[in-house]
Amino acid sequence: MLRSALLNVMIKAARKAARTLNRDFGEVENLQVSLKGPANFVTSADRRAEQILREELSTARPGYGFLGEESGRYEGSDKTHTWIVDPLDGTSNFMHGIPHFAISIGLEREGTIVAGLIYNPVNDDLFTAERGKGAFLNETRLRVAGRRRLADSVIACGLPHLGRGDLALGAREIAAVQPQVAGLRRFGAASLDLAWVAAGRFDAYWDHNLSPWDIAAGLIVVREAGGFVTDLNGQEATPTTADVLAGNEMVHGEMLKTLKAA
Ligand code: IPD
Ligand code: CA
Ligand code: CA
């Protein structure tokens, strides 16, 4: 498959960072772990992976800005481009030895995400998208699922937990959605939840309190696969949208009604 120079840069950086993540995942029990907040672990693996991504991306595109979960924001000399990076999305999974986590890289150009990559280094699932060029899982073009009814849909979500999120709202939302759908899932990596909507594995996904690095890449991967990504009022999501709903047109619309009423 012929890929653009831009995607090649992103893929090379992700594969290099993935090598250290995979090594650290193999030794997860020996990792030095520090607490950033309740249930919010920062591992040395996060930081190492982000360092590699920053070096690789800034060597290939000097001047672009960088916003990373671990190291924060760096202004570049080129004010029109910013990499938005989560070096390890799904930290709790990683820490618990659950092989469901990803590297997420979005490229923002003048406020719009123009390229995205989401890579699970354990199973080698590589999701990519560029504006106007479609979304792919490895070499295969992606299209959101065609299901039209909630009754046939498998829906992914985030869940509030100790020290994080609005437990009462979460309980109301689950109570509203649960009886209407074929299945609910909470897999714990926002970037992969979005990628899996793009791949038609999930019919929709919603979550609260997300950060730009959780969704930057996912926004374009879902949209290039023909899906919708909005806030919970139905407005187009941007990287700074915290409460997010993604899905195909029909299921997205049904979920929006259900969540608004919760
Ligand atoms: C988290 C995951 C999770 C989502 C949280 C994120 P992290 O990212 O994406 O699925 O529900 O809101 O913070 O901390 O594992 O990079
Ligand atoms: Ca994240
Ligand atoms: Ca992270």
Side-chain angles (χ1 to χ4, degrees):
M1 183 175 143
L2 202 59
R3 288 198 173 102
S4 71
L6 175 63
L7 276 184
N8 281 331
V9 162
M10 294 164 71
I11 292 167
K12 180 166 173 258
R15 288 202 190 278
K16 187 162 181 196
R19 285 200 285 279
T20 92
L21 276 187
N22 264 341
R23 244 190 337 264
D24 288 334
F25 187 60
E27 290 176 22
V28 78
E29 284 169 357
N30 305 324
L31 279 177
Q32 290 288 331
V33 176
S34 66
L35 276 180
K36 186 159 78 172
N40 193 358
F41 295 104
V42 180
T43 63
S44 47
D46 282 88
R47 289 191 289 267
R48 265 199 294 277
E50 184 158 318
Q51 174 77 19
I52 290 169
L53 291 166
R54 203 149 71 81
E55 278 166 16
E56 287 288 311
L57 295 170
S58 59
T59 302
R61 292 290 184 275
Y64 283 19
F66 186 93
L67 173 63
E69 181 176 17
E70 301 306 322
S71 53
R73 184 181 283 278
Y74 288 78
E75 293 292 337
S77 52
D78 174 344
K79 304 291 178 211
T80 58
H81 290 90
T82 305
W83 299 112
I84 304 180
V85 169
D86 192 338
L88 170 54
D89 185 42
T91 317
S92 304
N93 286 343
F94 186 91
M95 292 305 304
H96 285 77
I98 299 170
H100 188 79
F101 54 87
I103 290 166
S104 175
I105 305 173
L107 178 63
E108 186 178 57
R109 180 182 299 145
E110 293 173 329
T112 304
I113 302 296
V114 293
L117 170 151
I118 298 161
Y119 181 49
N120 178 343
V122 176
N123 65 5
D124 210 30
D125 270 1
L126 174 68
F127 299 89
T128 54
E130 266 186 289
R131 194 162 58 164
K133 296 185 183 169
F136 293 83
L137 165 53
N138 299 317
E139 315 272 294
T140 307
R141 185 141 190 164
L142 295 179
R143 181 77 206 158
V144 289
R147 282 175 285 270
R148 304 175 69 80
R149 302 180 329 141
L150 285 185
D152 302 319
S153 295
V154 170
I155 310 285
C157 60
L159 282 181
H161 51 82
L162 181 64
R164 191 184 168 108
D166 182 337
L167 290 160
L169 174 62
R172 288 201 307 277
E173 288 180 343
I174 297 295
V177 173
Q178 212 165 11
Q180 300 196 55
V181 299
L184 262 182
R185 303 287 186 269
R186 197 313 184 220
F187 282 2
S191 60
L192 287 173
D193 289 329
L194 289 165
W196 284 30
V197 168
R201 297 173 178 175
F202 294 141
D203 299 286
Y205 161 65
W206 93 96
D207 205 343
H208 294 274
N209 305 318
L210 295 173
S211 298
W213 42 82
D214 296 318
I215 63 168
L219 288 175
I220 188 162
V221 173
V222 172
R223 287 176 178 148
E224 287 293 326
F228 284 40
V229 195
T230 69
D231 66 14
L232 297 186
N233 292 311
Q235 299 298 312
E236 285 279 287
T238 69
T240 55
T241 302
D243 302 336
V244 166
L245 171 64
N248 75 18
E249 186 174 2
M250 290 299 295
V251 174
H252 177 275
E254 292 301 306
M255 282 294 297
L256 198 55
K257 276 189 256 165
T258 303
L259 292 170
K260 269 186 162 178

